[in-house]
Amino acid sequence: MYPESLQALIDSFRRLPGVGLRTAERYALNVTDLPQEEIEAFASALMRVKETLHHCRVCGNLCDGEECSICRDASRNRRQIFVVQSAKDVMAMERTGEYRGVYHVLNGLISSSRGVMPEDLNIESLLARAKDCDEVILATSATMDGETTALYLDRLLKQSCPDILVTRIAHGLPAGGMLDYADEMTLSHALSDRRKM
Amino acid sequence: MYPESLQALIDSFRRLPGVGLRTAERYALNVTDLPQEEIEAFASALMRVKETLHHCRVCGNLCDGEECSICRDASRNRRQIFVVQSAKDVMAMERTGEYRGVYHVLNGLISSSRGVMPEDLNIESLLARAKDCDEVILATSATMDGETTALYLDRLLKQSCPDILVTRIAHGLPAGGMLDYADEMTLSHALSDRRKM
């Protein structure tokens, strides 16, 4: 129904997560109103991201070169590794400005329902890196797959490097969270992980 | 904080309507997982839409050539013109499959708040087309700007073609709409435009 060129763009937008027909139409029609140079910049950014973006060979984070900016930063503490599911989590943690160690990006979680096995993840190089460090912080999500992955990594790390400290990020009430709105699992974590004031 | 190539793509996605930082990040990271040929198709669709997409010289609808497929369709009734704000509205109406006349796309609405004047819209050619037709259906939205534009066009059309029938699409309760959820304006329209059963 739409002109062929517009339909092709709508189809491309629909490949994005959570974008249905209406949103894709809105995006595509909006693109037709953008100035020529912005559309060119958009198209070249798309092409470039596949060409130049790679996983850091040390930690698995996304980067333009061989190593990511965090692994290249000599001021970071290489003896502390923060293990996360994806590059997005690295950015989220970096925004806090509270962490000065390095990261390890698994690029996924072990998931029996989606058939993701440990060998599909960036785990082997974590074991190699862990040998030269003091602490591995397991920071996968507080979901079923996140917990499974954390338990698996904990066992593996303790087997291969018995002297290492393996920690798990705290679970509990989020900042601003109200007790009567929290679910049972969160409250149960908040109780069992309570600390002395 | 993100690699430069990824940041450029995030910035481009943020130019789309209603896309904030989180959504742009999600889109951009998702693009990195798409196969190469889909990214290429996306980029070329972006470039092509600006090159080949034009406004139909007859009705102002979006099309790949000189005239849109509806204006080229000899089976459509050219003596009935359905006036809408944008190409999206043409698609919405075509999806009903109930209308066999032609369209006229204003490409905007008169808006004092946003400084859009009648001369910024595709109005002149509507007056020329109206001379050879029986009915002009004003189908701008039931918003302040939509009503203003409809009133303005009604006056203009009656001046230049006194014999023409100018109609306005019906306002009232939407399909499935419940009376107690309808706002005052909708209910007031539903009452004043009531019809004999």
Side-chain angles (χ1 to χ4, degrees):
Chain A
M1 208 136 73
Y2 277 107
E4 196 263 326
S5 66
L6 191 62
Q7 189 63 53
L9 187 57
I10 292 172
D11 292 342
S12 282
F13 275 123
R14 288 195 69 176
R15 305 304 308 260
L16 297 173
V19 175
L21 179 59
R22 284 303 185 95
T23 307
E25 281 177 2
R26 201 156 53 97
Y27 288 169
L29 285 168
N30 188 270
V31 163
T32 66
D33 296 333
L34 289 180
Q36 178 74 32
E37 58 273 19
E38 277 188 36
I39 298 183
E40 277 169 24
F42 196 163
S44 82
L46 275 169
M47 294 304 295
R48 213 148 53 85
V49 93
K50 196 72 181 185
E51 280 159 24
T52 76
L53 205 66
H54 301 287
H55 290 294
C56 169
R57 63 172 175 187
V58 180
C59 73
N61 189 12
L62 287 172
C63 60
D64 279 334
E66 291 263 291
E67 274 184 35
C68 75
S69 56
I70 295 167
C71 288
R72 272 188 283 116
D73 186 346
S75 75
R76 311 285 301 219
N77 175 9
R78 275 141 219 270
R79 303 196 64 82
Q80 198 177 33
I81 302 180
F82 194 90
V83 180
V84 294
Q85 175 184 355
S86 78
K88 232 174 355 185
D89 303 330
V90 173
M91 308 304 160
M93 194 59 198
E94 284 296 283
R95 274 196 282 267
T96 70
E98 304 250 320
Y99 181 65
R100 295 303 302 161
V102 292
Y103 292 89
H104 194 87
V105 182
L106 298 172
N107 288 310
L109 291 176
I110 299 170
S111 169
S112 50
S113 61
R114 283 178 297 145
V116 183
M117 307 304 285
E119 51 269 29
D120 300 325
L121 305 179
N122 182 24
I123 288 178
E124 211 165 308
S125 66
L126 172 63
L127 298 183
R129 292 179 76 195
K131 287 186 171 41
D132 304 316
C133 79
D134 305 320
E135 182 180 4
V136 172
I137 305 165
L138 300 176
T140 50
S141 306
T143 58
M144 178 80 90
D145 290 346
E147 295 293 354
T148 306
T149 308
L151 286 172
Y152 178 84
L153 290 178
D154 178 48
R155 211 193 49 195
L156 215 61
L157 285 162
K158 279 177 179 153
Q159 269 171 10
S160 66
C161 338
D163 303 330
I164 209 171
L165 174 67
V166 181
T167 57
R168 179 90 174 102
I169 48 162
H171 294 163
L173 219 56
M178 284 181 294
L179 217 70
D180 55 344
Y181 278 82
D183 59 293
E184 293 79 5
M185 196 67 110
T186 302
L187 279 183
S188 144
H189 277 306
L191 177 69
S192 63
D193 294 356
R194 70 190 180 277
R195 60 190 173 77
K196 209 162 179 299
M197 286 192 68
Chain B
M1 207 135 73
Y2 277 107
E4 196 264 324
S5 66
L6 192 62
Q7 189 62 52
L9 188 57
I10 291 173
D11 292 343
S12 283
F13 275 124
R14 288 196 68 175
R15 305 304 309 259
L16 297 173
V19 176
L21 178 59
R22 283 304 184 94
T23 308
E25 281 177 0
R26 199 156 52 99
Y27 288 170
L29 285 168
N30 188 270
V31 162
T32 65
D33 296 332
L34 289 180
Q36 178 74 29
E37 58 273 19
E38 277 189 36
I39 297 184
E40 275 167 25
F42 197 164
S44 83
L46 273 170
M47 295 304 295
R48 212 150 52 85
V49 91
K50 195 73 180 183
E51 279 159 24
T52 76
L53 204 67
H54 300 287
H55 290 293
C56 169
R57 63 170 176 190
V58 179
C59 73
N61 190 9
L62 287 172
C63 61
D64 278 335
E66 292 263 291
E67 274 184 35
C68 76
S69 56
I70 296 167
C71 288
R72 273 188 281 114
D73 185 346
S75 75
R76 310 287 300 220
N77 174 11
R78 275 141 218 268
R79 303 194 64 81
Q80 201 177 30
I81 302 180
F82 195 90
V83 180
V84 293
Q85 175 185 354
S86 79
K88 229 174 359 184
D89 302 330
V90 173
M91 308 304 159
M93 194 62 196
E94 282 296 285
R95 273 195 282 266
T96 70
E98 302 251 321
Y99 180 66
R100 295 302 304 161
V102 291
Y103 292 89
H104 193 87
V105 182
L106 298 172
N107 288 310
L109 292 176
I110 299 170
S111 167
S112 50
S113 62
R114 281 178 298 143
V116 183
M117 308 302 287
E119 51 270 28
D120 300 325
L121 305 179
N122 183 25
I123 289 179
E124 212 165 305
S125 68
L126 173 63
L127 298 181
R129 292 178 76 194
K131 285 186 171 47
D132 304 318
C133 81
D134 304 320
E135 184 182 4
V136 172
I137 305 165
L138 299 175
T140 50
S141 307
T143 58
M144 179 80 91
D145 290 345
E147 295 292 355
T148 307
T149 309
L151 287 171
Y152 176 86
L153 290 177
D154 178 47
R155 212 193 48 196
L156 213 63
L157 286 162
K158 278 178 182 152
Q159 269 172 11
S160 66
C161 340
D163 303 331
I164 209 172
L165 175 67
V166 182
T167 56
R168 179 90 175 101
I169 48 160
H171 294 165
L173 218 58
M178 283 181 294
L179 219 70
D180 55 345
Y181 278 82
D183 61 293
E184 293 80 3
M185 196 67 110
T186 302
L187 278 183
S188 145
H189 277 304
L191 177 68
S192 63
D193 293 357
R194 68 189 182 280
R195 62 189 172 74
K196 210 162 177 298
M197 288 192 67

